[in-house]
């Protein structure tokens, strides 16, 4: 296709810029079964994996550029049309700490709410929780960490103190039948402490789960995990929490994410997700970090 | 550390620019065993994996910039000191087709030959083979493909015709006790034909192996494979060729390489091809990456407690050298995460 001038690029629909695609195929089509003997199953794989899309919150919060509210809303709307069932929309933290999410109320109020799609938001404390509910949130998340140092540096309190705050949020949420998702950061390593023992991850996860979180997302916050450490950590956690209540949140900082996810797991429309990705990267004037998108997009 | 001016950067040794490293640790140190119950083994993993470093050939051949001979030689010399046991040095193809490798003879003659390190070179035909031997090569490689269209577009002949050419090379090599490695491209997909059935991969691999190749490297040439297609292909090939003679050459164009490599080693494959700094783009997906980065593979294998004998720091150093020379950013995520400028 050659180089397309920026002005023209915006006029062309995304499809025209996609290379002729042999490899992505029909949306959500299962691979063709050729011959009974050729069918295969890598042992223990689930039939279905739920993708929790965290781009609009975890993603945009960690980009260098603060994104205009209209762009955020447009991104979330495009993702809603991609078949995703969960899209983390924003974060009700003080704009003093996280200015990139200062427009949380406006975002929450103005996004299209598609049927069958959840739009959880972060609520680190009761104040944030109430603002979230007032803005129309119907699912919230709380963030624990398996490292004392990380907690201290990030939210200036100990693990125990943070758990107390979350307990208030979870209690209020339960009173209103609002589901709460729990995150455990530093599950495979901490930027301050280094290695994190699985027992610590188990301890924090168990607390969040027993307080009432319906799902625990175990986060490799700095992407240092490898399939071995992922397996070891999951084996420990799965002794205490049913696997159906677990999720993994793998950062790709060391390129290990897919291998770690594969280890963790032993229908979403990819084109539309790529389309949404192209939109936000154009808006941010940056290159996508998705290799599938790099390989498929023709400019 | 802040931004370091380029002029100063060259004066500082690489170590000073590395962030304080919690995650890479001592070279090739196994992870500490904490408690007997906590020791683990992902089932079926080998104790040792051989890395075949293809950066200087497959990597540099697919870079936009043609690299000066001195730089190539320096890169290979640095890699030789990193503990790698196999470094693919160059390619004895006609410079009309592959101008980036036109200096093959000079490269072969001038690199330091470290004891215990093999320096295989590509030899697509008898003429190339003879030039390689004359230049001091002691191991050669031949490249087949599991796709007729790919063969036709790449080397302008059918699979059958190419096999005949390789047979001449392999026979001559055997007469001289020169080991031959066989590559099978498009093992998980072809840029022209799309899906490739495992039976085709088996057919070509079997031919190369029975003709005398000591090892068959199965290449996901355009990086479209996923753990499922890797497993299906390997299951078919392993019915005909012992797993000890198999290697995987995974491109990372769609970000799947480490997952595919993990799948392969769980099935018993003990040889992995990779390129320092993930050198080499993909000629079939403009702007996309190609080879998986050696640094990223080493990081995963080290984390699994698998021995490779390779010093990750020295590979990163070599990667930093070549990327500076090429004025490009490394494709290795481990290097990106570790290097502080």
């Amino acid at each position: 296709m050659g180089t397309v001038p920026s002005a023209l690029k915006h006029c062309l629909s995304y499809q025209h810029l996609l290379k002729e695609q042999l490899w992505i195929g029909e949306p959500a089509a299962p691979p063709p079964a050729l011959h009974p003997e050729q069918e295969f199953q890598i042992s223990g794989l689930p039939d279905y994996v739920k993708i929790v899309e965290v781009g609009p919150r975890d993603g945009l919060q960690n980009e260098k550029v603060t994104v205009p509210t209209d762009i955020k809303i447009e991104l979330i709307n495009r993702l809603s049309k991609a078949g995703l069932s969960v899209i983390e929309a924003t974060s009700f933290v003080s704009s003093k700490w996280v200015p990139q999410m200062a427009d949380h109320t406006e975002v929450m109020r103005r996004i299209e709410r598609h049927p069958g799609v959840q739009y959880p938001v972060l609520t680190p404390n009761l104040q944030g929780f109430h603002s979230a509910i007032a803005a129309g949130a119907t699912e919230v998340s709380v963030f624990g960490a398996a490292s004392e140092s990380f907690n201290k540096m990030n939210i200036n309190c100990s693990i125990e103190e943070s758990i107390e705050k979350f307990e208030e949020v979870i209690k209020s949420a339960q009173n209103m039948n609002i589901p709460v998702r729990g995150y455990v950061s530093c599950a495979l390593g901490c930027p301050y402490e280094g290695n994190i023992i699985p027992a610590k991850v188990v301890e924090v996860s168990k607390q969040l789960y027993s307080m009432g979180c319906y799902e625990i997302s175990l986060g490799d916050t700095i992407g240092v995990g490898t399939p071995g450490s992922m397996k070891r950590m999951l084996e420990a956690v799965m002794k205490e929490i049913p696997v159906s209540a677990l999720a993994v949140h793998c950062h790709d900082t060391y390129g290990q994410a897919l291998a770690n996810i594969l280890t963790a797991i032993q229908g979403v429309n990819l084109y539309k997700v790529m389309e949404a990705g192209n939109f936000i990267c154009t808006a941010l004037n940056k290159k996508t970090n998705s290799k599938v998108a790099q390989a498929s997009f023709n400019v």
Side-chain angles (χ1 to χ4, degrees), chain A residues 142-152 154-155 157-160 162-163 166 182-208 216-221 233 237:
Chain A
V142 295
F143 259 78
S147 155
E148 287 289 355
S149 318
F150 187 82
N151 242 35
K152 260 257 163 288
N154 236 36
I155 55 177
C157 65
S158 69
I159 296 182
E160 199 178 323
S162 69
I163 297 280
F166 300 149
Y183 283 85
V184 179
S185 304
C186 296
L188 296 179
C190 168
Y192 311 105
E193 291 184 15
N195 270 323
I196 294 293
I197 58 171
K200 197 70 188 171
V201 182
V202 176
E203 185 188 324
V204 179
S205 306
K206 244 177 107 173
Q207 277 182 298
L208 290 173
I216 307 295
S217 175
L218 302 160
D220 184 10
T221 306
M233 184 274 295
V237 174

Side-chain angles (χ1 to χ4, degrees), chain A residues 83-100:
Chain A
L84 291 156
S85 54
V86 188
I87 302 168
E88 193 178 68
T90 186
S91 178
F92 283 79
V93 295
S94 158
S95 56
K96 200 171 49 169
W97 302 118
V98 186
Q100 307 90 312

Side-chain angles (χ1 to χ4, degrees), chain A residues 60 63-68 71 279-287:
Chain A
L60 293 187
E63 285 289 338
K64 299 192 194 73
V65 176
T66 297
V67 177
I71 302 277
F279 163 78
I280 192 61
C281 288
T282 305
L284 287 172
N285 192 28
K286 67 168 277 187
K287 198 174 142 195

Side-chain angles (χ1 to χ4, degrees), chain A residues 7-8 26 47 69 94 103 106 118 124-125 128 148-149 175 182 207 209-210 227 240 275 293:
Chain A
L8 187 55
E26 288 310 307
D47 292 320
T69 307
S94 158
D103 55 1
E106 190 182 350
Q118 283 302 317
N125 49 40
E148 287 289 355
S149 318
N175 284 340
Q207 277 182 298
Y209 185 66
S210 61
E240 308 284 344
E275 220 169 40

Side-chain angles (χ1 to χ4, degrees), chain A residues 71-255:
Chain A
I71 302 277
K72 283 182 190 168
I73 290 165
E74 178 62 23
L75 172 64
I76 293 168
N77 291 344
R78 290 189 184 214
L79 290 168
S80 292
K81 295 171 187 141
L84 291 156
S85 54
V86 188
I87 302 168
E88 193 178 68
T90 186
S91 178
F92 283 79
V93 295
S94 158
S95 56
K96 200 171 49 169
W97 302 118
V98 186
Q100 307 90 312
M101 296 284 129
D103 55 1
H104 39 66
T105 299
E106 190 182 350
V107 167
M108 208 56 210
R109 288 216 174 115
R110 289 180 49 203
I111 52 174
E112 292 165 9
R113 305 286 286 261
H114 287 237
V117 187
Q118 283 302 317
Y119 300 91
V121 300
L122 257 65
T123 52
N125 49 40
L126 214 47
Q127 183 185 355
F129 176 75
H130 288 142
S131 306
I133 298 307
T138 51
E139 181 176 324
V140 300
S141 309
V142 295
F143 259 78
S147 155
E148 287 289 355
S149 318
F150 187 82
N151 242 35
K152 260 257 163 288
M153 298 296 288
N154 236 36
I155 55 177
N156 200 24
C157 65
S158 69
I159 296 182
E160 199 178 323
E161 288 164 340
S162 69
I163 297 280
E164 282 166 17
K165 287 203 183 103
F166 300 149
E167 202 165 13
E168 298 181 321
V169 172
I170 295 170
K171 279 207 172 93
S172 305
Q174 282 172 331
N175 284 340
M176 304 175 66
N177 277 333
I178 301 271
V180 184
R181 189 184 205 230
Y183 283 85
V184 179
S185 304
C186 296
L188 296 179
C190 168
Y192 311 105
E193 291 184 15
N195 270 323
I196 294 293
I197 58 171
K200 197 70 188 171
V201 182
V202 176
E203 185 188 324
V204 179
S205 306
K206 244 177 107 173
Q207 277 182 298
L208 290 173
Y209 185 66
S210 61
M211 289 195 306
C213 291
Y214 76 92
E215 194 170 86
I216 307 295
S217 175
L218 302 160
D220 184 10
T221 306
I222 48 171
V224 294
T226 50
S229 61
M230 170 64 83
K231 186 176 200 272
R232 192 170 36 176
M233 184 274 295
L234 281 178
E235 276 172 346
V237 174
M238 278 162 60
K239 286 188 180 133
E240 308 284 344
I241 298 175
V243 69
S244 53
L246 294 178
V248 289
H249 182 114
C250 298
H251 276 203
D252 202 33
T253 316
Y254 287 74

